[in-house]
Amino acid sequence: MSDFAPVPTRVVVGVSGSLGSLTALCRAADEARQRGASLWPVLAWEPPGGELAARRTPASAPLVAEWQRLAGQRLLVALADVFGDAGADVPMRALAVRGAPGRALVETADRDTDLLLVGAGRRSPVRRALTPSVSRYCLAHATCPVLAVPPSPLESELTAVHRRNVWRLRLDVRHVLGETRALRPEV
């Protein structure tokens, strides 16, 4: 008989509240169920203006606890949006971690037996130039397997509706009628 006890597997997933991260959270819960693992949703947060601005301003020190509380609250809202009152149906440890999202996820998923899930949403050229990609950071720096979850098909539909609303374009009623007919059960 061996004294070696296997390290429990964890499924770590980045959660920001975006539709892509909620899709990744659903997939992570499925992966945790299939593997008999625990689910670790992680919401990374940074002080407004970034770490450098927070260090320069002494007035920000008392606000850190409030920012941590707000991050935890945002994480709980995302979990409730996905799992509702029923819960995830897997052991879970939710974390609100101070730091850049990619670094926080890689540091949390630090075991070889972990699985790290990140949303791999579509990014505009402007957003790509201004903000680093969390999924690329995780793929480059993680020591465990990383699963990049593609965006939900619903996300492109919502983006199209938003674009129509911004440009004040008319909604094609034939498209809506076709969708409702497809959803209507046969009698």
Side-chain angles (χ1 to χ4, degrees):
M1 186 166 167
S2 172
D3 291 334
F4 176 78
V7 177
T9 305
R10 303 180 303 173
V11 176
V12 179
V13 59
V15 178
S16 65
S18 69
L19 187 56
S21 76
L22 298 181
T23 303
L25 180 58
C26 288
R27 177 67 185 266
D30 289 342
E31 290 290 333
R33 273 187 220 98
Q34 290 174 5
R35 297 168 185 265
S38 59
L39 178 63
W40 287 49
V42 176
L43 185 137
W45 68 274
E46 293 181 292
E51 292 292 339
L52 187 59
R55 277 187 253 133
R56 286 186 188 169
T57 310
S60 68
L63 296 173
V64 170
E66 179 64 12
W67 294 330
Q68 175 78 28
R69 186 189 69 75
L70 290 172
Q73 188 176 30
R74 196 166 95 206
L75 178 57
L76 290 175
V77 167
L79 293 172
D81 287 347
V82 171
F83 302 121
D85 293 333
D89 198 28
V90 293
M92 180 170 34
R93 180 171 181 202
L95 301 170
V97 177
R98 182 175 178 174
R103 185 175 48 89
L105 290 170
V106 168
E107 288 176 359
T108 303
D110 59 351
R111 301 176 189 165
D112 292 341
T113 58
D114 289 342
L115 174 65
L116 176 58
L117 275 83
V118 291
R122 294 177 183 89
R123 293 163 40 100
S124 69
V126 172
R127 188 162 179 196
R128 224 177 288 134
L130 296 176
T131 59
S133 169
V134 174
S135 56
R136 284 181 188 247
Y137 183 92
C138 292
L139 286 167
H141 295 92
T143 58
C144 65
V146 179
L147 177 61
V149 179
S152 164
L154 178 61
E155 192 169 351
S156 62
E157 290 290 325
L158 290 174
T159 302
V161 168
H162 177 69
R163 193 177 313 115
R164 271 198 308 269
N165 288 341
V166 167
W167 292 102
R168 298 178 190 258
L169 299 175
R170 288 183 166 206
L171 179 64
D172 185 1
V173 179
R174 292 173 293 181
H175 175 72
V176 173
L177 289 175
E179 293 290 324
T180 56
R181 284 192 187 114
L183 295 175
R184 204 175 303 152
E186 295 294 322
V187 185

PDB file of all heavy atoms in Angstrom, residues 169-182:
ATOM      1  N   LEU A 169     -30.607  51.285 -36.994  1.00  0.00           N
ATOM      2  CA  LEU A 169     -31.069  50.560 -38.171  1.00  0.00           C
ATOM      3  C   LEU A 169     -32.341  49.798 -37.826  1.00  0.00           C
ATOM      4  O   LEU A 169     -32.531  49.364 -36.694  1.00  0.00           O
ATOM      5  CB  LEU A 169     -29.993  49.581 -38.649  1.00  0.00           C
ATOM      6  CG  LEU A 169     -28.670  50.212 -39.065  1.00  0.00           C
ATOM      7  CD1 LEU A 169     -27.667  49.116 -39.389  1.00  0.00           C
ATOM      8  CD2 LEU A 169     -28.859  51.134 -40.254  1.00  0.00           C
ATOM      9  N   ARG A 170     -33.164  49.605 -38.822  1.00  0.00           N
ATOM     10  CA  ARG A 170     -34.408  48.865 -38.607  1.00  0.00           C
ATOM     11  C   ARG A 170     -34.118  47.383 -38.423  1.00  0.00           C
ATOM     12  O   ARG A 170     -33.195  46.838 -38.998  1.00  0.00           O
ATOM     13  CB  ARG A 170     -35.330  49.035 -39.800  1.00  0.00           C
ATOM     14  CG  ARG A 170     -35.912  50.382 -39.897  1.00  0.00           C
ATOM     15  CD  ARG A 170     -36.858  50.429 -41.064  1.00  0.00           C
ATOM     16  NE  ARG A 170     -37.653  51.613 -40.952  1.00  0.00           N
ATOM     17  CZ  ARG A 170     -38.849  51.736 -41.457  1.00  0.00           C
ATOM     18  NH1 ARG A 170     -39.386  50.735 -42.115  1.00  0.00           N
ATOM     19  NH2 ARG A 170     -39.510  52.851 -41.319  1.00  0.00           N
ATOM     20  N   LEU A 171     -34.969  46.756 -37.636  1.00  0.00           N
ATOM     21  CA  LEU A 171     -34.886  45.321 -37.433  1.00  0.00           C
ATOM     22  C   LEU A 171     -35.657  44.634 -38.545  1.00  0.00           C
ATOM     23  O   LEU A 171     -36.784  45.023 -38.857  1.00  0.00           O
ATOM     24  CB  LEU A 171     -35.495  44.966 -36.067  1.00  0.00           C
ATOM     25  CG  LEU A 171     -35.510  43.495 -35.685  1.00  0.00           C
ATOM     26  CD1 LEU A 171     -34.094  42.977 -35.552  1.00  0.00           C
ATOM     27  CD2 LEU A 171     -36.249  43.322 -34.372  1.00  0.00           C
ATOM     28  N   ASP A 172     -35.066  43.634 -39.163  1.00  0.00           N
ATOM     29  CA  ASP A 172     -35.727  42.879 -40.217  1.00  0.00           C
ATOM     30  C   ASP A 172     -36.721  41.926 -39.561  1.00  0.00           C
ATOM     31  O   ASP A 172     -36.342  40.927 -38.951  1.00  0.00           O
ATOM     32  CB  ASP A 172     -34.690  42.099 -41.034  1.00  0.00           C
ATOM     33  CG  ASP A 172     -35.311  41.390 -42.217  1.00  0.00           C
ATOM     34  OD1 ASP A 172     -36.542  41.516 -42.429  1.00  0.00           O
ATOM     35  OD2 ASP A 172     -34.571  40.721 -42.953  1.00  0.00           O
ATOM     36  N   VAL A 173     -38.008  42.245 -39.668  1.00  0.00           N
ATOM     37  CA  VAL A 173     -39.057  41.485 -38.996  1.00  0.00           C
ATOM     38  C   VAL A 173     -39.145  40.063 -39.552  1.00  0.00           C
ATOM     39  O   VAL A 173     -39.458  39.130 -38.827  1.00  0.00           O
ATOM     40  CB  VAL A 173     -40.415  42.213 -39.131  1.00  0.00           C
ATOM     41  CG1 VAL A 173     -41.519  41.427 -38.452  1.00  0.00           C
ATOM     42  CG2 VAL A 173     -40.318  43.604 -38.555  1.00  0.00           C
ATOM     43  N   ARG A 174     -38.824  39.869 -40.806  1.00  0.00           N
ATOM     44  CA  ARG A 174     -38.862  38.521 -41.381  1.00  0.00           C
ATOM     45  C   ARG A 174     -37.889  37.601 -40.657  1.00  0.00           C
ATOM     46  O   ARG A 174     -38.178  36.439 -40.424  1.00  0.00           O
ATOM     47  CB  ARG A 174     -38.544  38.561 -42.866  1.00  0.00           C
ATOM     48  CG  ARG A 174     -39.638  39.243 -43.687  1.00  0.00           C
ATOM     49  CD  ARG A 174     -39.212  39.404 -45.092  1.00  0.00           C
ATOM     50  NE  ARG A 174     -38.106  40.376 -45.059  1.00  0.00           N
ATOM     51  CZ  ARG A 174     -37.466  40.802 -46.115  1.00  0.00           C
ATOM     52  NH1 ARG A 174     -37.763  40.334 -47.300  1.00  0.00           N
ATOM     53  NH2 ARG A 174     -36.502  41.691 -46.017  1.00  0.00           N
ATOM     54  N   HIS A 175     -36.720  38.135 -40.278  1.00  0.00           N
ATOM     55  CA  HIS A 175     -35.730  37.344 -39.545  1.00  0.00           C
ATOM     56  C   HIS A 175     -36.292  36.935 -38.179  1.00  0.00           C
ATOM     57  O   HIS A 175     -36.160  35.790 -37.761  1.00  0.00           O
ATOM     58  CB  HIS A 175     -34.440  38.150 -39.385  1.00  0.00           C
ATOM     59  CG  HIS A 175     -33.414  37.473 -38.543  1.00  0.00           C
ATOM     60  ND1 HIS A 175     -32.717  36.377 -38.969  1.00  0.00           N
ATOM     61  CD2 HIS A 175     -32.990  37.729 -37.283  1.00  0.00           C
ATOM     62  CE1 HIS A 175     -31.904  35.976 -38.022  1.00  0.00           C
ATOM     63  NE2 HIS A 175     -32.040  36.795 -36.976  1.00  0.00           N
ATOM     64  N   VAL A 176     -36.926  37.876 -37.489  1.00  0.00           N
ATOM     65  CA  VAL A 176     -37.506  37.586 -36.172  1.00  0.00           C
ATOM     66  C   VAL A 176     -38.631  36.565 -36.299  1.00  0.00           C
ATOM     67  O   VAL A 176     -38.717  35.628 -35.505  1.00  0.00           O
ATOM     68  CB  VAL A 176     -38.015  38.884 -35.498  1.00  0.00           C
ATOM     69  CG1 VAL A 176     -38.759  38.577 -34.222  1.00  0.00           C
ATOM     70  CG2 VAL A 176     -36.868  39.840 -35.245  1.00  0.00           C
ATOM     71  N   LEU A 177     -39.494  36.717 -37.294  1.00  0.00           N
ATOM     72  CA  LEU A 177     -40.587  35.762 -37.493  1.00  0.00           C
ATOM     73  C   LEU A 177     -40.049  34.371 -37.801  1.00  0.00           C
ATOM     74  O   LEU A 177     -40.586  33.378 -37.319  1.00  0.00           O
ATOM     75  CB  LEU A 177     -41.516  36.242 -38.609  1.00  0.00           C
ATOM     76  CG  LEU A 177     -42.381  37.456 -38.282  1.00  0.00           C
ATOM     77  CD1 LEU A 177     -43.151  37.902 -39.520  1.00  0.00           C
ATOM     78  CD2 LEU A 177     -43.336  37.142 -37.142  1.00  0.00           C
ATOM     79  N   GLY A 178     -39.007  34.295 -38.601  1.00  0.00           N
ATOM     80  CA  GLY A 178     -38.393  32.998 -38.903  1.00  0.00           C
ATOM     81  C   GLY A 178     -37.848  32.333 -37.659  1.00  0.00           C
ATOM     82  O   GLY A 178     -37.975  31.124 -37.469  1.00  0.00           O
ATOM     83  N   GLU A 179     -37.231  33.121 -36.769  1.00  0.00           N
ATOM     84  CA  GLU A 179     -36.687  32.579 -35.517  1.00  0.00           C
ATOM     85  C   GLU A 179     -37.802  32.073 -34.612  1.00  0.00           C
ATOM     86  O   GLU A 179     -37.685  31.020 -33.998  1.00  0.00           O
ATOM     87  CB  GLU A 179     -35.874  33.654 -34.777  1.00  0.00           C
ATOM     88  CG  GLU A 179     -34.613  34.081 -35.489  1.00  0.00           C
ATOM     89  CD  GLU A 179     -33.566  32.984 -35.486  1.00  0.00           C
ATOM     90  OE1 GLU A 179     -33.470  32.254 -34.481  1.00  0.00           O
ATOM     91  OE2 GLU A 179     -32.866  32.844 -36.503  1.00  0.00           O
ATOM     92  N   THR A 180     -38.914  32.819 -34.516  1.00  0.00           N
ATOM     93  CA  THR A 180     -39.993  32.390 -33.622  1.00  0.00           C
ATOM     94  C   THR A 180     -40.702  31.163 -34.182  1.00  0.00           C
ATOM     95  O   THR A 180     -41.154  30.321 -33.430  1.00  0.00           O
ATOM     96  CB  THR A 180     -41.020  33.519 -33.381  1.00  0.00           C
ATOM     97  OG1 THR A 180     -41.525  33.980 -34.632  1.00  0.00           O
ATOM     98  CG2 THR A 180     -40.392  34.652 -32.601  1.00  0.00           C
ATOM     99  N   ARG A 181     -40.797  31.046 -35.494  1.00  0.00           N
ATOM    100  CA  ARG A 181     -41.413  29.845 -36.077  1.00  0.00           C
ATOM    101  C   ARG A 181     -40.563  28.618 -35.785  1.00  0.00           C
ATOM    102  O   ARG A 181     -41.068  27.544 -35.550  1.00  0.00           O
ATOM    103  CB  ARG A 181     -41.587  30.020 -37.585  1.00  0.00           C
ATOM    104  CG  ARG A 181     -42.732  30.911 -37.933  1.00  0.00           C
ATOM    105  CD  ARG A 181     -43.055  30.845 -39.411  1.00  0.00           C
ATOM    106  NE  ARG A 181     -44.045  31.847 -39.715  1.00  0.00           N
ATOM    107  CZ  ARG A 181     -43.859  32.903 -40.487  1.00  0.00           C
ATOM    108  NH1 ARG A 181     -42.697  33.091 -41.065  1.00  0.00           N
ATOM    109  NH2 ARG A 181     -44.803  33.771 -40.693  1.00  0.00           N
ATOM    110  N   ALA A 182     -39.250  28.794 -35.831  1.00  0.00           N
ATOM    111  CA  ALA A 182     -38.347  27.679 -35.561  1.00  0.00           C
ATOM    112  C   ALA A 182     -38.454  27.235 -34.107  1.00  0.00           C
ATOM    113  O   ALA A 182     -38.256  26.057 -33.789  1.00  0.00           O
ATOM    114  CB  ALA A 182     -36.911  28.071 -35.879  1.00  0.00           C
TER     115      ALA A 182
END
